[in-house]
Amino acid sequence: MSKRIEVNGLNVYYNKFKAVEGVSMSIEPRTVTAFIGPSGCGKSTFLRTLNRMHEVIPGAWVEGEVKVDGDDLYAPGVDPVLVRRQVGMVFQRANPFPTMSIRDNVLAGVKLNNKRISRPEADDVVERSLQGANLWNEVKDRLDKPGMGLSGGQQQRLCIARAIAVQPDVLLMDEPCSALDPISTLAIEDLIEELKKDYTIVIVTHNMQQASRVSDKTAFFNIAGTGQPGHLIEYGDTATIFSNPSVQATEDYVSGRFG
Ligand SMILES: Nc1ncnc2c1ncn2[C@@H]1O[C@H](COP(=O)(O)OP(=O)(O)O)[C@@H](O)[C@H]1O
Ligand SMILES: [Mg+2]
């Protein structure tokens, strides 16, 4: 659990359009890294290359390397399905499976991975994952009720429970709080702080306060103009990026002058 990510010279394309260019960075285990930058600069696109979700889109491809503890996710013969098990993802809109119970939502990924799991094993996974997502106490008496019956913030924690149920090494989150109220947002931020003990976490956020509250490292991405590829402009300790960045564009962005 919790592995190091190393990206070398990554270019990301949609057909002929180069959406992200020349990204190299290392992300340490048991840290939270925030990706910030204006809309359209390629944060989501780049994030999705870290678990090979990008190539699910027809015509989407990459050049370069993404290594997780030294193993290149894009090496020939690597199974993208196993990569997505190892590197979990939580999306902007909580997306529990609408017809499934809370319990079955947590087990959805586990059941895809191993065909057979005994009832006691399944119960353990459900409890451990919901505990891990700080949701157990709120739902333990209604595990067989639909996941859709939960509040937005609870649904997002349910999606986090589903992601951690398969015991990934890395958790990617794309604006996980953007549809949530401030209280639910703080609950997710507290949870991220907890999960950091066990996982390498990367979070895309539009919220500067959130980036400075939850992350150890911050990566600022930018684009020169529409149709241009996004670039990683500056990457460093969150405190430095917010208080003493080296690049003018970073300073302009974090101080709210654009984006
Ligand atoms: N499925 C897609 N097909 C084609 N182009 C896309 C797709 N998704 C995103 N893009 C383009 O890639 C660029 C980066 O988008 P995105 O990664 O969503 O940026 P961000 O998450 O930083 O707002 C944009 O120009 C966007 O229009
Ligand atoms: Mg995005």
Side-chain angles (χ1 to χ4, degrees), residues 1 15 31 41 48 51 67 73 134-135 149 152 155 158 160 167 171 177 194 199 213 236 243 246:
M1 287 229 258
N15 295 296
T31 60
C41 69
R48 290 193 296 261
N51 77 343
K67 292 182 175 173
L73 303 186
N134 284 344
L135 188 59
Q155 285 186 24
L158 178 59
I160 293 172
Q167 299 189 289
L171 268 182
C177 303
E194 290 276 308
Y199 302 98
R213 279 193 300 261
S243 62
S246 341

Side-chain angles (χ1 to χ4, degrees), residues 1 21 35 54 74 100 114 152 196 214 216 246 250:
M1 287 229 258
E21 183 175 68
F35 289 176
H54 175 65
Y74 290 94
M100 279 187 197
N114 0 324
K196 178 173 119 168
V214 304
D216 304 291
S246 341
T250 313

Side-chain angles (χ1 to χ4, degrees), residues 161-180:
R162 182 176 66 195
I164 62 181
V166 298
Q167 299 189 289
D169 304 311
V170 178
L171 268 182
L172 309 176
M173 303 187 179
D174 195 351
E175 300 193 48
C177 303
S178 63
L180 302 182

Side-chain angles (χ1 to χ4, degrees), residues 14-15 17-20 37-48 54 57-58 60 174-175 204 206 221 223 226-228 230:
Y14 294 100
N15 295 296
F17 172 55
K18 193 191 269 185
V20 176
S39 231
C41 69
K43 303 177 298 295
S44 297
T45 298
F46 175 56
L47 189 75
R48 290 193 296 261
H54 175 65
I57 299 161
D174 195 351
E175 300 193 48
V204 174
H206 264 112
F221 292 82
I223 28 170
T226 36
Q228 301 287 314

